[in-house]
Amino acid sequence: MAAQEDKLKAVISHAKEYGFVFPSSEIYDGLSAAYDYGQLGVELKNNIKNYWWTAMTRMHQNIVGIDASIFMHPTTWKASGHVDAFNDPLIDNKDSKKRYRADVLLEDYMAKSEAKITKEIEKAKNRFGDAFDEEQFRATNPNVLRAQEKIDAVKTRMKVALEESDLEGLKQLIEDCEIADPETGSRNWTDVRQFNLMFKTELGAVSGDAGIIYLRPETAQGIFVNFLNVQKTGRMKLPFGIAQIGKAFRNEIIARQFIFRMREFEQMEMQYFVKPGTEMEWYNYWKNERIKWHNALGLGEGNYKFHDHLKLAHYANAACDIEFNFPMGFKELEGIHSRTDFDLKKHEEFSGKKLRYFDPETNESFVPYVIETSIGLDRMFLAVLSSSFVEEKLEDGSERTVLRIPAALAPVKVAVLPLVKKDGLPEKAKEIVDLLKLDFNLQYDDKDAIGRRYRRQDAIGTPICVTVDNETLEDNCVTIRHRDSMQQERIPIADLHEAVRKVVALNKYF
Ligand code: ATP
C-alpha cells in the first residue's frame, strides 16, 4: 500500500513539475479536487480524445459525433431519473466529521480481505513452485476459504441493501463489519443518508424554482434528446451510434485520488442504438471492441479487468466496468451498459414527442435499445500517465525518469537538438523544425549538454530526439534517438518525416 501511495505521489509531483497537471487556482491555495491541465497535459488529453474519436467515428462508418450543450432543459433530468435517483449513500463520522460513501467503505473492507487471499496465494506459490495449483488451493485452504466466505457474505448483504435502498441495513452492515473511519479509527457513525450528486444553478432571467437548472452529470442525455435529429438528418439506419466528448459535473461526496475522482471532469461516451432483442449481441461486441482499444496501447493486458456490476443502475439490463490497475489498485476506468429503451421511452413520456425508429424493411416503428460505452477522459489520462511513469537504473549506473507514453499519445513527438549552439547548427536544426512542425508537435532545445537534453525529453515522454551535428552540414544526415531503447541511428534528413511518422502514427493501434 505504501509503495502504491508513493507511486501516486511521485506521479502527481512529476505531472506538476513538467506542466501536465496543476492544482486549480493554486495561488489561492487551490480548490479541492479541481485541477488544470498544463501545456503538456492538454496535448496528451487531446491525443487521447483523438484516439477515441478516431476509433469511434472514423473506424465505424455508422457512428457520428455531436457536441451538445452542458445546460439542458431541466425536465431532461426528471425524465432520466437523475433528479430522483442519482444519489450516493453517505455516512458521516461523528468524531472526525469526515464524510464517506457507505458503499465505498464496504468495498474497501472487502478489498482488504481480497488482498489477504492474494497474499496467501503468493506465499503458497513460492513454497510449492511449479506444482502449485491455485484453483485447488482456493478450494481447500482454510484461511482463504474463511476470507472468501466473509467477502461473499458482505457482498450479498450489500447488494440487497443497495437494491432495496435499505439505508438502515447498510449502516448495520458497516457496524457488523466493525468498519472504522480510515483516518481516525473512530466507529461513531451517523445514519446513512441519500445525497443527490447533481449541481444546481439558476437561469439569469427566471426567479425561484422555475429557474433552476442542472450542470449535466453525464453527457449521455445530450445524445438521447438528439437521437431523432441525428437519425433523420444523417439518414442513419440501425444499428448506429452517436459519440460525444464533453464535460460532466457531479457533486461527489469525497473527491480524491488526484484526477481520478473530480467534481468537474470529462467523459467520452457513445450510445449505440440497436434493434430490441439484439442488445446482448451488441453488448458483447462493444465489450470486445473497447478492451481491444485499451490493449492496443500496450500499457499491459494484465492491467485491465472486467468487473460485472453487482447493482444494476435503474436503466440497465446488463453492465460491466473495465477496471484499470491505477497506483491505488484496480478501479473503474470505463463503463459498458446495456441501457434498454429506458431513456428514449422516458423522454417520449416526459416530452410527449415520439422518439421512434421507422424500419423500412418491416414497416414497423419502435423505440431502439441502447448500448453505451462511457469512459472518463481524466481517468484515461491518469491510466496512461501512471503506467508509463518509470524510474530506471541504466547499465552505466545512472538513473533516468522516463514516461513510456504510447508514441501516438505523447504530447511532444520530436525534439530537435543542435549538438552545439554555433557553427550554423542551430540554423540547420531550425530548417528541420520547419520540415516537421506542421505534422508533429515538437520542441527545439539548444541549452545544456546533449545528455541532459535527452533526459528532459525522456521525462516528458518524447519518443524521438533528432540531433544535428557538424557532419549534418556535410552529409545531410541526423542522428535519431529512440526514447525506450535509447538506441541511436543515423538517417538522411530526407527520410526523417517518414521515420517519425512510422513511430508516432495512430494506425498501429487499429
Ligand atoms: P464511480 O463508480 O467511480 O463513481 P460511476 O460508475 O458513477 O463511477 P459512470 O456513471 O459509469 O461512473 O461514468 C462513466 C465514466 O465516467 C466512469 O467510468 C469514469 O471513468 C468517469 N467518471 C465518473 N465519475 C467521475 C469523476 N467524479 N471524476 C472523473 N471521472 C469520472
Side-chain angles (χ1 to χ4, degrees):
M1 198 63 177
Q4 288 179 332
E5 274 167 21
D6 289 350
K7 168 96 191 251
L8 184 61
K9 274 195 196 138
V11 169
I12 295 171
S13 86
H14 191 85
K16 183 168 177 218
E17 187 181 344
Y18 287 93
F20 283 85
V21 183
F22 306 121
S24 154
S25 35
E26 197 187 6
I27 58 168
Y28 296 104
D29 295 331
L31 175 69
S32 99
Y35 291 91
D36 298 338
Y37 287 86
Q39 67 279 13
L40 294 183
V42 69
E43 297 287 343
L44 173 54
K45 212 173 169 193
N46 284 341
N47 294 340
I48 295 173
K49 284 190 208 177
N50 183 40
Y51 177 38
W52 186 86
W53 194 258
T54 304
M56 285 297 173
T57 63
R58 299 248 193 103
M59 302 309 283
H60 292 93
Q61 289 294 301
N62 63 344
I63 301 181
V64 291
I66 62 163
D67 184 17
S69 77
I70 287 171
F71 293 146
M72 300 182 70
H73 192 285
T75 309
T76 309
W77 306 110
K78 272 246 149 237
S80 68
H82 283 81
V83 172
D84 296 324
F86 195 52
N87 301 317
D88 274 343
L90 76 83
I91 188 164
D92 292 306
N93 187 280
K94 288 187 201 159
D95 296 328
S96 69
K97 310 274 180 266
K98 295 255 175 213
R99 181 163 279 186
Y100 297 95
R101 260 172 67 177
D103 55 332
V104 171
L105 284 178
L106 288 162
E107 262 159 21
D108 287 350
Y109 173 82
M110 289 188 277
K112 273 191 203 141
S113 296
E114 199 70 64
K116 269 189 210 149
I117 295 180
T118 312
K119 221 167 151 188
E120 290 282 347
I121 290 175
E122 284 305 316
K123 260 195 339 211
K125 228 185 230 163
N126 289 338
R127 199 159 3 111
F128 296 116
D130 286 347
F132 181 65
D133 178 346
E134 182 174 328
E135 213 170 297
Q136 194 195 359
F137 185 78
R138 276 181 182 273
T140 51
N141 180 280
N143 290 343
V144 170
L145 285 174
R146 221 174 301 124
Q148 191 60 51
E149 249 171 47
K150 205 157 90 180
I151 295 172
D152 293 344
V154 175
K155 228 182 222 175
T156 313
R157 279 179 67 188
M158 179 168 115
K159 179 174 184 274
V160 173
L162 287 173
E163 272 173 4
E164 294 175 358
S165 290
D166 173 10
L167 302 182
E168 275 168 32
L170 272 181
K171 179 169 185 196
Q172 193 58 50
L173 185 54
I174 287 172
E175 284 178 346
D176 292 350
C177 294
E178 300 186 343
I179 293 175
D181 180 336
E183 285 184 32
T184 63
S186 156
R187 284 200 234 135
N188 193 7
W189 297 112
T190 62
D191 288 340
V192 178
R193 285 182 293 137
Q194 293 286 25
F195 178 78
N196 192 285
L197 298 179
M198 281 199 295
F199 279 102
K200 275 185 200 162
T201 187
E202 280 171 45
L203 274 180
V206 191
S207 70
D209 277 358
I212 286 181
I213 50 168
Y214 300 96
L215 299 188
R216 67 179 177 199
E218 61 175 27
T219 56
Q221 298 304 325
I223 293 179
F224 289 125
V225 299
N226 279 298
F227 158 71
L228 261 197
N229 283 340
V230 173
Q231 192 270 321
K232 289 214 159 125
T233 57
R235 293 164 38 242
M236 310 299 288
K237 299 226 163 7
L238 285 193
F240 75 91
I242 305 178
Q244 176 169 220
I245 300 176
K247 289 258 177 171
F249 303 83
R250 294 180 187 180
N251 200 359
E252 299 278 2
I253 295 167
I254 28 166
R256 55 172 184 172
Q257 289 161 334
F258 192 37
I259 53 176
F260 181 83
R261 187 177 301 284
M262 296 190 286
R263 299 197 171 94
E264 171 186 345
F265 58 99
E266 231 168 323
Q267 290 186 313
M268 305 192 284
E269 295 200 301
M270 194 277 302
Q271 312 290 328
Y272 202 68
F273 300 92
V274 305
K275 221 175 164 157
T278 64
E279 70 272 16
M280 284 323 284
E281 180 192 321
W282 288 111
Y283 174 69
N284 289 323
Y285 170 84
W286 281 107
K287 273 176 77 171
N288 191 36
E289 278 291 287
R290 294 307 301 147
I291 198 71
K292 257 182 15 206
W293 183 88
H294 286 288
N295 284 336
L297 287 176
L299 303 180
E301 298 195 3
N303 281 327
Y304 301 88
K305 254 196 324 214
F306 276 110
H307 169 84
D308 289 320
H309 279 203
L310 264 184
K311 181 199 173 199
L312 290 178
H314 55 275
Y315 48 75
N317 71 355
C320 67
D321 298 333
I322 295 177
E323 295 187 338
F324 186 76
N325 191 10
F326 288 101
M328 51 292 174
F330 276 94
K331 302 259 176 210
E332 173 175 345
L333 167 62
E334 170 157 9
I336 300 163
H337 310 126
S338 172
R339 288 177 83 125
T340 67
D341 55 2
F342 175 86
D343 302 86
L344 290 178
K345 274 220 167 119
K346 283 284 177 191
H347 287 306
E348 278 199 334
E349 191 187 308
F350 279 75
S351 68
K353 313 260 164 36
K354 289 251 175 285
L355 296 174
R356 307 265 160 124
Y357 175 78
F358 176 74
D359 188 340
E361 277 162 30
T362 58
N363 273 339
E364 275 175 348
S365 283
F366 54 87
V367 180
Y369 269 40
V370 171
I371 306 299
E372 164 184 82
T373 73
S374 171
I375 175 168
L377 175 55
D378 312 271
R379 287 193 190 175
M380 187 61 198
F381 185 106
L382 182 58
V384 172
L385 196 65
S386 62
S387 61
S388 58
F389 176 82
V390 185
E391 283 166 318
E392 268 183 356
K393 228 185 165 71
L394 303 178
E395 275 174 18
D396 65 3
S398 63
E399 283 177 20
R400 70 165 183 163
T401 301
V402 53
L403 289 182
R404 294 176 180 271
I405 299 178
L409 303 187
V412 176
K413 301 288 192 275
V414 197
V416 182
L417 316 169
L419 193 59
V420 290
K421 211 170 153 183
K422 55 180 185 186
D423 304 337
L425 298 192
E427 290 73 18
K428 190 73 183 169
K430 282 179 182 154
E431 280 174 26
I432 294 175
V433 167
D434 287 341
L435 192 74
L436 300 176
K437 70 183 180 191
L438 181 65
D439 295 318
F440 309 108
N441 191 34
L442 58 75
Q443 283 190 351
Y444 169 87
D445 187 3
D446 60 13
K447 286 181 201 69
D448 300 321
I450 193 74
R452 287 189 64 183
R453 281 183 268 167
Y454 285 156
R455 291 290 174 276
R456 274 204 291 271
Q457 295 302 328
D458 287 344
I460 64 170
T462 308
I464 291 177
C465 289
V466 176
T467 308
V468 177
D469 55 25
N470 287 88
E471 271 175 56
T472 307
L473 302 179
E474 277 141 40
D475 65 3
N476 266 319
C477 287
V478 285
T479 303
I480 66 173
R481 172 206 182 253
H482 296 274
R483 176 194 70 200
D484 297 344
S485 64
M486 294 191 290
Q487 301 250 305
Q488 304 194 359
E489 54 181 315
R490 199 143 175 99
I491 64 166
I493 292 174
D495 296 346
L496 188 56
H497 190 284
E498 179 56 15
V500 175
R501 196 200 60 78
K502 264 198 186 137
V503 172
V504 306
L506 209 49
N507 63 3
K508 275 205 282 293
Y509 306 147
F510 294 106

